[in-house]
Amino acid sequence: MTLDRIDIEIVRLLQNNARLSNKQIAAEVGLAPSSVHERLKRLWENGVLSGTHAEVDPASLGIGLEALFMIELAKHERTTVDQFMDDMLTIPEVRSAHLITGRYDLVIHVAVRDTRHLKNLALDQFTNRPGVTRIETSIIYDTRVNHELPDLRNSHQE
């Protein structure tokens, strides 16, 4: 799908506030609400837009601590890694799983009540899994998130 300047602006607006109405988006991009509706429909159908999510205050759900588990696996076979990644998302405390390069194979972002919960999660759900040869934990003190993806389609790095 080819995205034009208006499509990019619609995507940018929604990345920063997915609750905007067609009328609000139309006012921002200078189109009629019906035209914005058609563009949004096309963006969803073509997979440019694939989901919307609410930001939730972690403390309101009893989360007092977030951490990263850096995990080293014994085997790097595709099926083993894919299964491990899929298994991670079945653990309620796991927020995301990332396959990475470098010393570790995966980084798993977790949300827990406290350090005791973190220790139990590490011991009960991670270190005892077959294939895990090493785990290192880093507690997250603070986070800043930029929800807006850059448009790199036409940029060229030399």
Side-chain angles (χ1 to χ4, degrees):
M1 175 181 177
T2 302
L3 301 176
D4 65 16
R5 176 188 59 76
I6 293 174
D7 291 327
I8 295 298
E9 183 62 13
I10 290 170
V11 169
R12 187 191 68 74
L13 289 166
L14 290 173
Q15 286 179 100
N16 289 298
N17 184 358
R19 295 184 65 184
L20 290 173
S21 69
N22 282 353
K23 186 176 178 180
Q24 290 170 308
I25 296 169
E28 288 287 330
V29 300
L31 292 179
S34 59
S35 296
V36 167
H37 176 76
E38 287 304 314
R39 283 178 179 261
L40 284 169
K41 184 176 168 186
R42 188 172 41 89
L43 290 167
W44 282 102
E45 288 171 353
N46 287 289
V48 174
L49 298 175
S50 60
T52 58
H53 310 280
E55 292 287 325
V56 178
D57 174 29
S60 68
L61 297 176
I63 296 165
L65 184 72
E66 294 185 61
L68 301 173
F69 289 151
M70 281 71 71
I71 297 173
E72 182 181 289
L73 298 175
K75 293 183 180 181
H76 300 102
E77 298 166 352
R78 179 178 296 277
T79 55
T80 302
V81 173
D82 286 347
Q83 185 62 55
F84 192 93
M85 295 276 290
D86 289 342
D87 290 349
M88 292 301 96
L89 296 181
T90 66
I91 301 169
E93 293 90 347
V94 171
R95 301 212 48 209
S96 62
H98 307 272
L99 182 62
I100 61 169
T101 63
R103 176 179 179 152
Y104 295 97
D105 300 308
L106 297 120
V107 173
I108 310 297
H109 178 189
V110 298
V112 295
R113 284 184 303 279
D114 51 31
T115 55
R116 172 182 234 141
H117 186 183
L118 182 65
K119 177 190 83 166
N120 291 336
L121 181 67
L123 295 174
D124 297 339
Q125 296 290 330
F126 291 89
T127 60
N128 67 350
R129 286 184 184 269
V132 172
T133 57
R134 181 179 174 87
I135 183 172
E136 187 173 305
T137 305
S138 290
I139 291 174
I140 298 171
Y141 289 132
D142 197 4
T143 300
R144 301 289 191 275
V145 176
N146 179 3
H147 293 284
E148 193 174 313
L149 290 172
D151 179 12
L152 303 177
R153 294 169 304 138
N154 296 318
S155 68
H156 301 286
Q157 295 279 329
E158 298 290 326

